[in-house]
Amino acid sequence: MWAVTALVGVFLLLPIAVVVLFSFNSKKSLNSFEQPSLHWYAALFDNSDLLASVRVSLEIAAVTSVVATVLGTIFAFGLARSRTRWSRPPQTVLIATLVTPEIATAVALFLVFTSGLHWNLSTTTVILGHITFSLVYVTLVVRTRLAGLRPEVEEAAKDLGCTEWQAIRLVMLPQLAPAIVGAALLVFVLSFDDFVTSTFTTGAGTSPLPVYIYGAIKFGLSPEINAVGSLMLLVTLVLGTAGIVLTRASSRRSRS
């Protein structure tokens, strides 16, 4: 088991290590490394089209993270508190969205936006597409944390004079905060890195960063692309690790 795990890890991580290494190459080569240099990172920050694409991706990820977190948290409360048969269809849709291949979801969104609603593809359609698949992750994370909370605490708050909304705002949400923040960070990473949904929902104008990189590769590989990939990897690792740490801390607090 350890041998197979090590081989899979090397197979997946070695190309990433090569990308990071050659992003510091002093010459324009993807085959031989001459000497360490930050030339391609400097060139990256001088590329106005690339910086515009990064800005668009950050805007999309930020809006998606906020909207999906708010809606996902509300949805989680609804599923956790509902005791009727009407809660089953939303749960079925939730699980179906999670297991549906992203390519199928992306094609469906493309058809809805273009043929169904007759919208022009734009940044707005990309955001709506990202919210569609991100909502599931927020709901699952927050609902799991909700299931671990003790109902006696909320009941005690109501006995002491809190209304339903005050009990949620003053008692429940502070306990859910680590899970909510962790889910928001994970959604930000998923949205920032997404390629499939972005490709099918992007219109004219500045493309999100993954789409821009794919388009640049068609015209030949450049060490500048390695620098972009390395920075994306750094952002993903930092935010993803923070989200996982917060989610696990919330789970440990729930168990204790």
Side-chain angles (χ1 to χ4, degrees):
M1 183 183 67
W2 285 105
V4 172
T5 302
L7 289 174
V8 172
V10 169
F11 179 77
L12 294 176
L13 297 179
L14 187 58
I16 298 177
V18 172
V19 167
V20 175
L21 176 64
F22 277 88
S23 69
F24 295 99
N25 195 3
S26 59
K27 66 177 183 179
K28 190 176 181 179
S29 173
L30 299 176
N31 298 317
S32 61
F33 189 88
E34 187 172 275
Q35 61 183 5
S37 173
L38 296 176
H39 170 72
W40 300 110
Y41 287 92
L44 185 157
F45 289 104
D46 289 335
N47 190 330
S48 59
D49 293 336
L50 180 59
L51 293 179
S53 181
V54 172
R55 184 173 62 253
V56 168
S57 286
L58 291 175
E59 292 174 354
I60 292 172
V63 175
T64 299
S65 180
V66 172
V67 177
T69 301
V70 173
L71 295 179
T73 301
I74 295 173
F75 195 29
F77 267 100
L79 292 177
R81 299 297 178 84
S82 178
R83 296 292 184 270
T84 66
R85 62 180 181 178
W86 299 108
S87 64
R88 294 178 182 176
Q91 294 185 51
T92 304
V93 172
L94 187 74
I95 300 301
T97 304
L98 184 64
V99 300
T100 300
E102 187 179 0
I103 184 67
T105 303
V107 172
L109 288 170
F110 173 78
L111 294 176
V112 168
F113 291 144
T114 57
S115 301
L117 300 176
H118 301 288
W119 288 358
N120 293 324
L121 297 179
S122 62
T123 302
T124 301
T125 56
V126 178
I127 292 174
L128 291 176
H130 286 195
I131 292 174
T132 301
F133 69 80
S134 300
L135 185 65
V136 180
Y137 297 95
V138 178
T139 303
L140 291 177
V141 171
V142 176
R143 188 185 179 189
T144 301
R145 177 72 177 112
L146 266 172
L149 297 182
R150 297 176 59 186
E152 295 86 355
V153 178
E154 183 181 3
E155 293 171 0
K158 293 179 181 178
D159 290 339
L160 294 173
C162 281
T163 63
E164 183 77 25
W165 166 241
Q166 288 175 328
I168 293 176
R169 182 171 60 89
L170 300 176
V171 178
M172 305 295 289
L173 287 180
Q175 297 181 80
L176 292 172
I180 294 174
V181 174
L185 292 176
L186 290 176
V187 166
F188 186 94
V189 171
L190 290 173
S191 176
F192 186 76
D193 286 345
D194 183 79
F195 172 73
V196 177
T197 301
S198 298
T199 301
F200 280 87
T201 55
T202 298
T206 305
S207 302
L209 186 57
V211 180
Y212 176 89
I213 293 176
Y214 179 73
I217 290 176
K218 292 181 178 180
F219 298 98
L221 292 174
S222 167
E224 189 175 333
I225 299 299
N226 292 337
V228 177
S230 299
L231 291 178
M232 286 184 65
L233 176 64
L234 178 62
V235 172
T236 301
L237 287 177
V238 171
L239 295 181
T241 301
I244 292 173
V245 168
L246 287 172
T247 302
R248 289 184 175 179
S250 175
S251 300
R252 287 196 298 268
R253 185 179 303 176
S254 175
R255 289 194 297 269
S256 63

